[in-house]
Amino acid sequence: MLADIGIIGGGVVGLASGVALAQAGHAVTVFERHPDRRAASWNNAGHIAVEQVAPLASPASVRSAWGRRFSVGGALDMPVAMARHWLPFAPRFLAASRPTSFRRGSAALGALLSEAMPAWRRLATAIDAPELLREEGHLVAWESPETAARGEAAWRAAETGDATVEPASAGDLERIAAVCAAPVASAIRFDGSGHISDLTALAAALERALVEAGGRLVRQEARLSVVGGQARIAGHDVGRVLIAAGIASAPLAAVAGHRAPLIAERGYHIRAAADCWPDDVPPLVFEDRSMIVTRYADSVQAASFVELGSADAPPDPRKWQRLEAHVAALGLAMAPPFTRWMGSRPTLPDYLPAIGRSSRVGNLFYAFGHQHLGLTLAAVTAEIIAALVAEEAPAVSIEPFRIERFG
């Protein structure tokens, strides 16, 4: 039976789900309280990261955390001022990083990622924007022979799903040299991954496809309540509700009695005009600096950092300064003036998303907590939600992603 569906959250997961549902014939209203596209959905690295099968809740992450601290030049920061946010998160993360839990998480995430690229192909076609999806892989480079040897060995030993690892070709090395003046000791190429060429154009295409399919985009905050065991959005007559509000999803889930221990995993980027950055350079990772550089339609972006804390805390300018220092040290073909951004990835302790239908409130669905993989998993998440609303079995088992795993 077709339904009236209210989606709380107009990021990439919410909009992709809205398009899938509207094109299936449902009456869809997407509520998005922020009109300026400042969310992580529209400011990420643009990378379709199908190779990231291993959740970041892992034994390797725990072992390497001390050496990755921001204070010693790394990308990981757990600011003392935000300890009340990350202290409750840490024990859950450590529990999820135990070998048995990590293996279960890898299997679950791998199954989801195996469907990510096919789902993106279908979505890009459905929104009449196939040119936005570029399946050109990505490059990873190192600046010293020692870090290159360790990094290449680690990637070759890792489970990378449908992505394959090869030495960078002569053409790849020429592309790196065209945008990076510093010498590179070694590089590898991932095939099977991809990227979105223009996040702003993607947002516009999703919104346009939603409206063309009969859906609505309402730019206001949605107030969720549960009345008589049914989810309601104040002032709107909707039969079903999907929570897809990113970092703001935890209090919404709590209204329905669900615990969602999200943390704001804050990332930073700088952008410059892409005048000197060739269009044929795929996303380029400088692994020694934990930085990924992506060319978009008219800009080039350098992004990094895992800062655990509060979404509402002010940015730390030192992160932008370090990004600018990395750009200068590498001699990258991106010049000031830089625009600066900070935003929050919605992350659960096991680094798996929450996708499913509420066991407490029958007309409530949820899709949030996609951490670094929100863009990567948006299309397949949308297909799963469309299947659940239609009371059909999704292509991927959602048992590992049920919110009830947190009690």
Side-chain angles (χ1 to χ4, degrees):
M1 178 182 297
L2 301 183
D4 294 329
I5 301 171
I7 298 177
I8 305 177
V12 67
V13 172
L15 281 176
S17 299
V19 169
L21 291 164
Q23 291 184 344
H26 300 285
V28 176
T29 302
V30 175
F31 297 88
E32 172 51 53
R33 60 178 178 165
H34 296 301
D36 56 1
R37 293 180 181 159
R38 294 286 294 169
S41 287
W42 318 121
N43 292 276
N44 57 68
H47 179 38
I48 308 297
V50 297
E51 79 285 355
Q52 294 183 16
V53 172
L56 289 179
S58 69
S61 292
V62 174
R63 287 193 301 269
S64 65
W66 185 251
R68 293 186 292 114
R69 290 169 295 141
F70 176 74
S71 61
V72 296
L76 174 64
D77 198 13
M78 301 168 71
V80 173
M82 292 191 274
R84 70 184 182 89
H85 298 279
W86 55 257
L87 276 174
F89 180 87
R92 299 185 180 109
F93 171 83
L94 291 171
S97 299
R98 294 170 182 161
T100 301
S101 299
F102 168 70
R103 287 192 291 270
R104 286 198 301 265
S106 294
L109 192 55
L112 204 56
L113 286 167
S114 69
E115 298 294 327
M117 192 64 79
W120 259 112
R121 295 185 193 113
R122 292 187 288 270
L123 178 58
T125 299
I127 63 175
D128 195 27
E131 73 283 355
L132 293 179
L133 176 63
R134 298 180 65 166
E135 299 184 55
E136 300 168 356
H138 69 286
L139 300 171
V140 179
W142 294 272
E143 297 165 62
S144 77
E146 295 77 17
T147 57
R150 290 196 299 268
E152 287 189 39
W155 274 117
R156 293 188 184 282
E159 172 57 55
T160 58
D162 294 333
T164 59
V165 181
E166 300 292 341
S169 68
D172 291 329
L173 295 175
E174 289 176 1
R175 292 184 184 92
I176 295 173
V179 297
C180 176
V184 166
S186 185
I188 57 176
R189 163 176 279 279
F190 282 82
D191 289 316
S193 61
H195 70 283
I196 298 298
S197 63
D198 188 333
L199 292 172
T200 300
L202 173 65
L206 287 167
E207 292 175 0
R208 182 174 61 250
L210 173 72
V211 173
E212 289 176 351
R216 294 193 305 148
L217 180 61
V218 176
R219 298 196 182 277
Q220 67 179 52
E221 184 171 1
R223 289 180 290 140
L224 179 68
S225 62
V226 175
V227 179
Q230 296 290 295
R232 298 283 183 258
I233 295 178
H236 297 271
D237 185 15
V238 295
R240 300 183 187 185
V241 176
L242 170 65
I243 298 173
I247 194 61
S249 296
L252 295 169
V255 171
H258 293 296
R259 177 182 298 170
L262 284 172
I263 195 167
E265 190 187 313
R266 289 149 51 108
Y268 290 72
H269 82 219
I270 57 173
R271 283 184 181 175
D275 301 339
C276 300
W277 198 279
D279 187 58
D280 65 346
V281 179
L284 175 55
V285 177
F286 293 95
E287 195 158 270
D288 295 332
R289 300 172 186 267
S290 300
M291 183 173 73
I292 181 169
V293 185
T294 309
R295 160 72 193 259
Y296 292 120
D298 57 1
S299 65
V300 58
Q301 170 182 296
S304 185
F305 299 112
V306 172
E307 182 187 70
L308 300 178
S310 166
D312 298 325
D316 180 352
R318 297 176 302 164
K319 270 75 175 187
W320 290 316
Q321 292 163 5
R322 185 171 293 178
L323 282 171
E324 292 170 9
H326 286 331
V327 167
L330 290 166
L332 296 186
M334 53 186 298
F338 297 116
T339 60
R340 295 173 163 186
W341 173 89
M342 183 280 293
S344 299
R345 311 174 189 98
T347 300
L348 291 161
D350 55 7
Y351 276 77
L352 300 179
I355 307 172
R357 183 173 189 168
S358 171
S359 59
R360 292 174 172 268
V361 180
N363 70 331
L364 182 68
F365 301 79
Y366 51 85
F368 58 83
H370 290 71
Q371 38 104 6
H372 294 253
L373 300 176
L375 182 69
T376 300
L377 296 175
V380 66
T381 298
E383 293 184 352
I384 290 171
I385 292 298
L388 293 176
V389 170
E391 301 187 356
E392 299 173 352
V396 179
S397 170
I398 62 167
E399 189 62 30
F401 311 116
R402 288 166 52 86
I403 195 63
E404 287 82 3
R405 70 188 188 268
F406 296 111

